[in-house]
Amino acid sequence: MHGGDEVVAAPSRPPEPLDWKFSQVFGERTAGEEVQEVDIISAIEFDKTGDHLATGDRGGRVVLFERTDAKDHGVSRRDLEIMDYPISRHPEFRYKTEFQSHEPEFDYLKSLEIEEKINKIRWCQTANSALFLLSTNDKTIKFWKVQEKKVKKISDMNLDPSKAVGSGSVASSSSSSSPKPCLVNGSSFDGSYNNLSNNFFPPGGLPSLRLPAVTSQETNLVARCRRVYGHAHDYHINSISNNSDGETFISADDLRINLWNLEISSQSFNIVDVKPADMEDLTEVITSAEFHPTHCNMLAYSSSKGSIRLIDLRQSALCDSHTKLFEEPEAPGSRSFFTEIIASISDVKFSKEGRYILSRDYMTLKLWDINMDSGPVATFQVHEYLRPKLCDLYENDSIFDKFECCLSGDGFRVATGSYSNIFRVFGCAPGSTESTTLEASKNPMRRQVQTPTRPSRPLSSITRVVRRGSDTPGVDANGNAFDFTTKLLHLAWHPTENLIACAAANSLYMYYA
């Protein structure tokens, strides 16, 4: 300390930019293959361990993948790391199972079709080797249990296949005018009971009579819907989020946030309600909501006006007032017809330790320190080259696309998607200038963008950072022509390793560094 001011130690060197490589692809389509609407991926989520990955699609299906490379040594990956065992292989996943989570429905009271599309998936705590997860469409949330069931196989049956029911003249009543009586073993008999006793059951028993035996046990994965949480939202559900207490979760639609207990599906508590008495006075809607990763009483939700509100459930039952409000003041003279549209936040995520909030609006990623509500500590411009095209994007409704964002487990990097099936990775560590562009393909084209005019300040500094992407008009960050029909909306970062899973239409791509 000197003169009452805290001395901030000079930051260490920022981490080197990562070299991303293609890892895997699931559901890759061939050239010219038409993508079915129901196969398009609409949600991606890693579990807390990173050993399982879930995807949801517009057809209401949930597909689960499991990690395979960590099991090759017979020891858990965490134990290998403790033993300082060299692990050279990158994370690999394989298909595990899939199930139909939601079906299309029709609300007869409102004459409204309810799509089966999966909006969000969230993993819950595992128990007894069973996997639990929440999935939701526009109206209904479901709690699923996925567990291995052992199916026994029986062999050495006494039934003779050649004489069994359904094969041969014995079973078919039409093949014989007078069918003969049939024994359990498939043999027929004539004559009296005495002949039967003498011919078929000789003294000493029947040598060919065998007791059935269990030869093997097959393990099948069975998904069972444990609970259905419905009839609580008048508007489309845009978010679900698990609480750190492991007992409750929230669901959010345009105007309300409800709090549920996992064990009780018959009732929920309304904790946020922004619906005005007169709907003509409505100025903003809720766009995303998430619980704090460690404080069970705190959650954040974003709005269509570009603001993020942090609320404390201990204050009151209905959280009409917020604890903190995070929003960036509008620059004077910058207002236009599209200002409010592109300011709408489509996704918010807490960092792993809960200190920072990452938000994505249409043009930028913003990183907020929950201890500093005067403005974001860093701003990353995702596709600034689209600003001259906002009118075209409005005409084809692309301006309303909702891109997701994610943070790395160590908090040093953030990522989000864009058009032409590309996604951006930015370094947010102090002094980092990392800005990488990747295309969702087997041969991702990358270009490092080193554009900041000054090095980034530490996140604790009041000075904010602005990181730009490519500013070349008419082309995307890879120099290709615009393609608004191919968009990378959904992606997830592995909780402990540098692995990103992203969705390009019906294909799931994975990249590691």
Side-chain angles (χ1 to χ4, degrees), residues 87 90 109 132 134 142 156 171 205 230 257 270 287 307 313 323 337 348 355 364 385 387 395 423 452 479 491:
I87 303 173
H90 61 83
L109 292 176
F132 295 91
L134 290 166
K142 294 186 178 182
D156 292 338
I257 300 177
N270 179 223
T287 56
S307 61
L313 297 178
T323 306
F337 173 77
V348 290
R355 169 72 183 273
T364 64
Y385 48 83
R387 197 170 290 275
E395 291 293 330
F423 63 99
L491 76 172

Side-chain angles (χ1 to χ4, degrees), residues 22-38:
F22 169 78
S23 174
Q24 289 174 280
V25 60
F26 295 94
E28 185 183 25
R29 60 185 184 274
T30 57
E33 180 185 353
E34 187 177 349
V35 178
Q36 299 297 318
E37 179 80 10
V38 294

Side-chain angles (χ1 to χ4, degrees), residues 439-451:
E439 183 185 30
S441 67
K442 282 189 173 180
N443 299 302
M445 296 175 292
R446 301 187 306 278
R447 185 176 74 176
Q448 298 295 332
V449 184
Q450 310 271 359
T451 53

Side-chain angles (χ1 to χ4, degrees), residues 311-435:
I311 62 175
D312 191 335
L313 297 178
R314 297 171 299 184
Q315 286 185 339
S316 63
L318 184 62
C319 301
D320 290 326
S321 61
H322 50 265
T323 306
K324 285 191 176 180
L325 174 66
F326 304 93
E327 60 183 356
E328 190 169 26
E330 187 179 313
S334 64
R335 189 167 186 81
S336 71
F337 173 77
F338 304 109
T339 299
E340 285 194 10
I341 300 175
I342 64 175
S344 177
I345 295 175
S346 56
D347 193 22
V348 290
K349 293 284 196 318
F350 275 100
S351 59
K352 192 174 183 179
E353 79 290 346
R355 169 72 183 273
Y356 299 98
I357 299 175
L358 181 68
S359 67
R360 169 70 202 263
D361 56 43
Y362 189 70
M363 298 297 290
T364 64
L365 270 177
K366 291 187 175 75
L367 191 68
W368 308 79
D369 186 337
I370 64 171
N371 296 327
M372 190 182 84
D373 54 7
S374 59
V377 293
T379 300
F380 309 97
Q381 295 175 345
V382 180
H383 40 215
E384 189 63 21
Y385 48 83
L386 291 182
R387 197 170 290 275
K389 301 280 185 179
L390 288 179
C391 189
D392 298 335
L393 292 162
Y394 180 78
E395 291 293 330
N396 62 23
D397 286 342
S398 294
I399 201 169
F400 301 106
D401 287 334
K402 299 184 183 304
F403 292 94
E404 294 179 358
C405 58
C406 58
L407 297 96
S408 61
D410 56 17
F412 290 155
R413 295 172 181 86
V414 295
T416 192
S418 182
Y419 295 101
S420 302
N421 276 347
I422 66 170
F423 63 99
R424 311 292 309 279
V425 179
F426 298 98
C428 56
S432 174
T433 59
E434 182 175 357
S435 178

Side-chain angles (χ1 to χ4, degrees), residues 242-263:
N242 303 87
N243 198 344
S244 58
D245 63 10
E247 296 180 359
T248 56
F249 70 93
I250 55 168
S251 58
D253 64 21
D254 292 342
L255 299 179
R256 294 186 177 94
I257 300 177
N258 292 333
L259 178 68
W260 301 82
N261 188 300
L262 280 167
E263 300 295 326

